[in-house]
């Protein structure tokens, strides 16, 4: 009996190592977090307004996707003239 329990525990351990963590969909800037017994993120929205419209009446909230690639802002170009030169 002890061996059966040990084998079962080992099988559970091996099976749990193959589970992948849930990830956000990097293609969309907004995600809906659905609450409940099996909570999950649905990242398929282009704006917070779109997500909030579809979240009405649900146990859910809309968040900005932290893994959505942001465009890097470039610093403003300086003119060729030195400051204070006139």
């Amino acid at each position: 009996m002890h061996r059966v329990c040990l084998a079962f525990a080992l099988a559970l351990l091996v099976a749990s190592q193959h589970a992948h963590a849930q990830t956000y969909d990097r293609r969309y800037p907004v995600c809906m977090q659905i609450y409940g017994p099996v909570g999950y993120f649905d990242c398929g929205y282009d704006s917070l307004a779109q997500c909030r419209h579809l979240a009405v009446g649900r146990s859910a909230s809309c968040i900005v996707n932290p893994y959505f690639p942001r465009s890097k802002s470039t610093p403003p170009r300086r003119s060729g003239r030195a400051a204070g030169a006139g």
Side-chain angles (χ1 to χ4, degrees):
M1 182 67 176
H2 181 67
R3 287 185 183 197
V4 172
C5 290
L6 183 61
F8 182 71
L10 185 59
L12 284 176
L13 182 64
V14 170
S16 67
Q17 290 179 353
H18 294 291
H20 296 287
Q22 179 180 349
T23 58
Y24 292 83
D25 189 342
R26 299 175 70 101
R27 297 175 293 172
Y28 296 97
V30 178
C31 300
M32 183 186 302
Q33 182 176 5
I34 292 88
Y35 304 103
V38 181
Y40 62 96
F41 288 92
D42 177 17
C43 299
Y45 305 97
D46 293 315
S47 69
L48 282 169
Q50 178 191 25
C51 178
R52 288 179 182 142
H53 177 75
L54 295 170
V56 170
R58 299 176 74 178
S59 179
S61 63
C62 298
I63 62 168
V64 174
N65 185 348
Y67 297 103
F68 182 73
R70 307 279 180 231
S71 60
K72 293 183 180 179
S73 60
T74 56
R77 291 184 153 223
R78 295 182 179 213
S79 66
R81 299 187 327 189

